[in-house]
Amino acid sequence: MINPSAVVAGKDGTVVSKPQYRCPVSACDGFVDYIESRKKEDPFWGCGECGSIWYEKENLFKEIESIIKKFPYRKKCYRKSKGEWLPTALDKIPDDYEERVLDEPDDDSDEYVRG
């Protein structure tokens, strides 16, 4: 499965896929993409499902670490390489992932900007 918003044209016209993270917000089964605006707005990491955004990658990584501590099964969605969290391949994610996420308690934050 490829999310069209994660595909961009490379400098030479080739198609390059940006990494997509599973959203680290409790009860959200969406994907987090890196959004670069053509306007003068700051780029950010954002989830199209719950609307959460992170302006700093380090804050996204902190939230990934937090959700893994709360729900250890979520670790299968991420892998660490050279000190950074990366998404795992979709075929490595458990088949019942979405059902398990939707059974989690709703996130108690009322802020969309998470870091």
Side-chain angles (χ1 to χ4, degrees), residues 25-29 67 70-71 73-74 95-107:
V25 174
S26 183
C28 181
D29 65 347
I67 201 73
K70 285 183 186 176
F71 307 106
Y73 75 91
R74 282 199 178 224
D95 291 337
D96 64 345
Y97 175 80
E98 285 85 6
E99 290 126 20
R100 293 178 78 176
V101 169
L102 295 175
D103 282 341
E104 295 173 0
D106 288 336
D107 182 71

Side-chain angles (χ1 to χ4, degrees), residues 6 27 29 50 72 78-79 90 93 101:
D29 65 347
C50 69
Y78 313 101
R79 62 186 174 86
L90 289 176
I93 296 173
V101 169

Side-chain angles (χ1 to χ4, degrees), residues 4-114:
S5 69
V7 177
V8 296
K11 291 180 182 178
D12 61 355
T14 59
V15 175
V16 179
S17 179
K18 294 182 186 179
Q20 283 188 292
Y21 294 86
R22 293 308 302 239
C23 184
V25 174
S26 183
C28 181
D29 65 347
F31 288 90
V32 174
D33 293 304
Y34 186 66
I35 311 297
E36 293 179 277
S37 174
R38 293 186 179 166
K39 299 177 182 177
K40 294 186 180 192
E41 299 166 358
D42 289 335
F44 62 92
W45 298 88
C47 176
E49 187 73 24
C50 69
S52 295
I53 62 174
W54 297 263
Y55 285 104
E56 301 294 330
K57 186 175 14 174
E58 293 78 20
N59 292 329
L60 173 62
F61 291 169
K62 286 178 188 175
E63 197 136 7
I64 288 171
E65 290 171 6
S66 176
I67 201 73
I68 289 170
K69 286 179 186 172
K70 285 183 186 176
F71 307 106
Y73 75 91
R74 282 199 178 224
K75 187 171 184 177
K76 293 182 180 181
C77 297
Y78 313 101
R79 62 186 174 86
K80 210 161 198 180
S81 176
K82 298 179 183 176
E84 290 197 352
W85 286 105
L86 298 172
T88 58
L90 289 176
D91 64 351
K92 303 283 185 198
I93 296 173
D95 291 337
D96 64 345
Y97 175 80
E98 285 85 6
E99 290 126 20
R100 293 178 78 176
V101 169
L102 295 175
D103 282 341
E104 295 173 0
D106 288 336
D107 182 71
D108 58 1
S109 176
D110 56 357
E111 298 292 327
Y112 289 110
V113 178
R114 302 182 73 91

